[in-house]
Amino acid sequence: MPETTGCSPDWHLEHSRPALFLDYFNPRTSFAAQANTLATRFRDIQALCNEGENPPELTRLRNELAFHLVKMSRWWGFDFCPRGVTDVRNPLFMTYVKAHIEHSIEDESLFDLLTVQRHMHAGDAGHLLVLGQETGADPELSVLFGIDGQRGFRFAIGSTGLAPLWNGQTYPDFASMWLSARAVHALIADSHANVQEYESAHQEHIWARAWHRRHFHRHITRPAVDMYAQAMSQLDSCQSIFGRAEFETIVNRAAFHIARTAFDHNMTIADMIGTGGLRDMGLRHANTIKRRARTYITTCIDPIARPEMDILLDRVISYLPRRCT
């Protein structure tokens, strides 16, 4: 049975409401930080619920977090297996989700769209559920966000008083759609620099999507050093502010993966890198990798889980100086 982090039910009821750390409509908000915090809070509250009697509000919060794990997996396009991420059997986890949507029409509508589509024209790309609206510098021009009957994200740019015209292209996640909408909005505003920025960001986000999809994978056979090198190469290729921000986090997470693997195998970070045939690079950059791992813990790990991760990183050694014989 998972252990709690020591946070009380009252603490969670005050600090673990999804609205406090989830920002669905701003993809600039760190994906990793939101996903990690959401999973940690669910697991901690689930452990409290398993320990004994708790306020009914805590059970409702657990159910709400379960729903948001499903929603966020679709929003960002990451692989999600309830048992793999939360240690809760899939059928039981879905009872939590269904218990939540019984009390939220908006969440029930979205869940229905993503599953059985009883309320939609099932499979109809022309039938959309509107998710929200964004208004930029021009109050006369707004962007609508939606998901169609084929479960693709779509956007529409409309003027005041006119019916919105939905873009015909669909996108697999919200960020892809948001970036494309921004590019079209910049084109309408005749802002060439912004068009280039968002078009580059969209391409770079396509690279990032593959990393996001595997975010919760526990068993990764590819060497951690190889993943770090690939992420660094893609970061170096990024031209947009958005893309560089995404890949800074991806590189930091890859660095954390190296540090954690080194710790698990009782190795230094430098020797860990050396096993990949990159010993010279490892000796020069072992401290950089540890620093990036520390940044990942500081910025992307839930504060209630950081102490354990800090201890891990404190104990792993960057490198041991070689002595002359």
Side-chain angles (χ1 to χ4, degrees), residues 207-218:
W207 305 341
R209 278 206 312 252
W211 296 90
H212 296 338
R213 181 175 61 81
R214 300 189 301 263
H215 183 79
F216 282 116
H217 284 200
R218 290 186 175 181

Side-chain angles (χ1 to χ4, degrees), residues 5-47:
T5 60
C7 297
S8 69
D10 287 341
W11 187 93
H12 277 297
L13 290 172
E14 183 178 354
H15 296 94
S16 297
R17 303 289 180 185
L20 297 176
F21 57 87
L22 296 182
D23 191 356
Y24 284 106
F25 291 102
N26 181 11
R28 294 189 182 96
T29 304
S30 170
F31 154 74
Q34 293 183 88
N36 290 339
T37 301
L38 181 56
T40 299
R41 299 297 169 94
F42 175 87
R43 287 193 293 261
D44 205 46
I45 292 172
Q46 173 67 3

